[in-house]
Amino acid sequence: MTALLFFTILAILGGLITYKTGQRDMWLMLGLSFPLGFGYITIVSFIFDLLHVPITIISGTVAILIGIAGLIFNQKDDIVNHNFNPQACLKSVVHFFKNYWGSLFIIGIIAYLLLGISTKAILWPTAAYDSIEGFDFVAKVISQEHVLRNSLFDISYPLASVRAPYPPLVPINFAYAYMAGMEYPKIISVLFIISTFFIMFGLAKDISKNLFIGLILAFILMSTPEYLAMSALSLTNVPTALYAGFGLIFIYRFVNTSKRTDFYLGLILLTLGMWTRTEVIIFSIVAILILGLWSYKNKKYKETIVLTGLIFGSYIIWKLYVDLVLQAQMQQSLNFLPFYDGQKISDILNLVKFVTFSTQYYGWVVYLFLGFGVTLLLPKNRMANVNLYIIIIITWILYVILYYQMDNVDANGNLIPNYITAGYRRGFFSFLPLITYFIASSAPIILTSEWINKKL
Amino acid sequence: MAKDKNRGYKKKPKGNNKTEQSTYKAKKTNKRFAYWRLLVNIGYLVFSGILFYCMITYNPGYDWLFNSLIKNTYKSKEQVLTITTDQKLESKLGFDAKYLLFLKSKTPEEAIILMPPPEIITRKRDGGLFSNDSAYAGNLYWASYFVYPRKLVYEGNESIYSDQITHVAIINKWGYQYAPNVPEDQHQEYSVINL
């Protein structure tokens, strides 16, 4: 009961934050409510820790209620008088079932999938090695000791593995699940999966202007075998995929539409991504680059400066906290200087090729990306879509380079395959929303949708 | 105006009455819209069905997802609900979890437990019961998750708690050297003793 109440008010807060950004799409608000709520409680708990305020379910609840009150007060006129209209939401649901009853089969399949994976996540305790040695252990100790700088990081008896000082978004939210009385914290993973579905549906439907196409694309994303299977484990990759993938999508949308809501959402999601896993820096750098080009073209530099400041600020704050307060070793060491190792390049590329093109892992998604890429040659295609294709490929190249720059070789100088077959394999999840969004915005989808909509 | 039985909507009105003309046009459009909507929705259903069929028939990944992972989750749900968390952990993580949970259940929260060196914690490949993979009772970080807030000290490793040991983990009969008062005929393969 405590957990239900806690996460309900957290979602309300996240919904209000989404509303504050100017986003009014019901599905996007639904999808973003938990991820933004999780982000809020993470930042607040981090501040609590700095101020020596205990992280408890009561302090967390008070912080959420203050946030809700503040946001309602701030937007009260808008909510009461203007835009917020529950009747319109209900009307759109009725409209959906009236005009799209043919989607019921796919809705049934999606429900079957989501319910199945949620059941698996909720019924089984944490068993993933990384989680036991890392974030779940940290969460467990936070829930007992009510501080982030807890006994795991006691330098006289250190229990913190290299995974323990991961950015705190996942451990803190897991800790709240424990403190709310849940036996396992994997409800958080479930909420991330469901959120991912709603966001993808909201975006795909918005760009294709067809609810059925939106559903099909969200279904293709959700049913990616490795992604959905990993969703049931308490790993950080599924939340990272949401923050990094959708963050970059919103920034991309902003440079195309100049809608402030897209900028705010991209900014928030990428920043929260940095509080989830530092590898989000790759997606953030690409976002900064495309925003920088937009700034240069439009002579508006504020957005790029704010995004850059928040991304690198988040990284620096957490790095300083780990070094100075926790005094722990921060995950993977990177070689920042360029170097050449032909054998390593060959080993990485071979494994990357094997993993990326494995239909066992990603189903048809990568092949759909390549197939729809061919349609870029169609004369009716849009330039913006070509840009998105290039952005995804550049991000992917940078992501592979990240693995090359990592200190991931054994004593004999050979690549440790696990970095690619496990790390890269799960890290690729962040590309799934980008690929699905690209498909949604591709010419065949847009033209089909326009043809159907014209007749309706 | 008489109803046209064949077409389902009223005959086109004659004359210059603009209201009648526009009402007629709207009804005709609505009817056409309804037929098209029906057709499109049937199309949605057929497309969804074909897509789903092709996914699970022609791709091993989707087939595994639907016919193994998700199906088995629903199938085993009732059974899983009847077992305890410890049993679930044992089924997932094997003897490593079972032994560590045993240690937890037999010691107080403030216990400082002496663990044997890694070579004593024999893995399956060496004829023991402990896991071959990295999920391993010999790993301080991993093992501590199961016994927290109890503290583990591995024999041979330096620790500030080395001189404050309260319990000894017995693995493969190792550890009885710290409890000479326990008769040899009472030595067990796996146990924990209070010093």
Side-chain angles (χ1 to χ4, degrees), chain A residues 99 102 112 123 145 183 455, chain B residues 36-37 41 74 85 88 148:
Chain A
N99 291 298
Y112 172 79
L123 287 185
E145 299 178 13
E183 205 174 350
K455 300 273 181 180
Chain B
W36 179 248
R37 196 166 61 184
N41 275 288
Y74 282 115
T85 299
K88 288 175 193 171
Y148 173 84

Side-chain angles (χ1 to χ4, degrees), chain B residues 6-192:
Chain B
N6 296 326
R7 298 178 71 188
Y9 50 83
K10 290 175 182 178
K11 274 185 182 174
K12 188 176 179 178
K14 288 169 185 171
N16 290 329
N17 189 332
K18 280 187 181 171
T19 318
E20 273 194 19
Q21 289 275 7
S22 61
T23 312
Y24 164 77
K25 269 185 189 168
K27 281 183 179 174
K28 194 176 168 185
T29 314
N30 280 346
K31 212 70 187 175
R32 200 176 289 162
F33 170 79
Y35 284 135
W36 179 248
R37 196 166 61 184
L38 177 73
L39 208 66
V40 165
N41 275 288
I42 291 169
Y44 289 161
L45 273 178
V46 172
F47 179 81
S48 313
I50 292 171
L51 177 74
F52 181 62
Y53 174 78
C54 290
M55 281 170 91
I56 58 168
T57 309
Y58 299 112
N59 183 279
Y62 296 123
D63 177 43
W64 168 79
L65 182 74
F66 284 98
N67 292 324
S68 180
L69 184 81
I70 301 292
K71 204 172 179 179
N72 290 343
T73 301
Y74 282 115
K75 237 187 197 167
S76 61
K77 199 179 96 186
E78 296 302 318
Q79 202 189 336
V80 174
L81 282 170
T82 61
I83 59 173
T84 64
T85 299
D86 286 3
Q87 286 170 320
K88 288 175 193 171
L89 281 168
E90 283 168 38
S91 77
K92 285 265 179 196
L93 301 167
F95 190 73
D96 296 66
K98 186 177 184 174
Y99 181 73
L100 292 166
L101 292 168
F102 162 78
L103 277 187
K104 187 183 178 184
S105 68
K106 297 291 177 192
T107 53
E109 286 195 353
E110 61 281 3
I112 296 169
I113 306 165
L114 181 68
M115 294 286 285
E119 60 271 19
I120 300 293
I121 308 172
T122 47
R123 303 194 186 202
K124 278 181 188 162
R125 60 172 173 247
D126 303 319
L129 293 173
F130 291 93
S131 169
N132 283 334
D133 60 30
S134 52
Y136 183 45
N139 175 343
L140 173 68
Y141 306 133
W142 192 87
S144 296
Y145 174 86
F146 296 90
V147 298
Y148 173 84
R150 295 150 193 82
K151 292 179 168 57
L152 300 177
V153 174
Y154 285 84
E155 171 102 334
N157 286 2
E158 289 219 0
S159 169
I160 56 155
Y161 295 109
S162 295
D163 55 353
Q164 298 170 47
I165 304 292
T166 59
H167 293 75
V168 178
I170 304 294
I171 292 180
N172 292 327
K173 293 192 176 172
W174 178 95
Y176 284 111
Q177 66 270 34
Y178 294 101
N181 51 342
V182 179
E184 206 166 321
D185 61 337
Q186 286 179 25
H187 285 192
Q188 290 175 302
E189 204 74 22
Y190 301 97
S191 184
V192 58

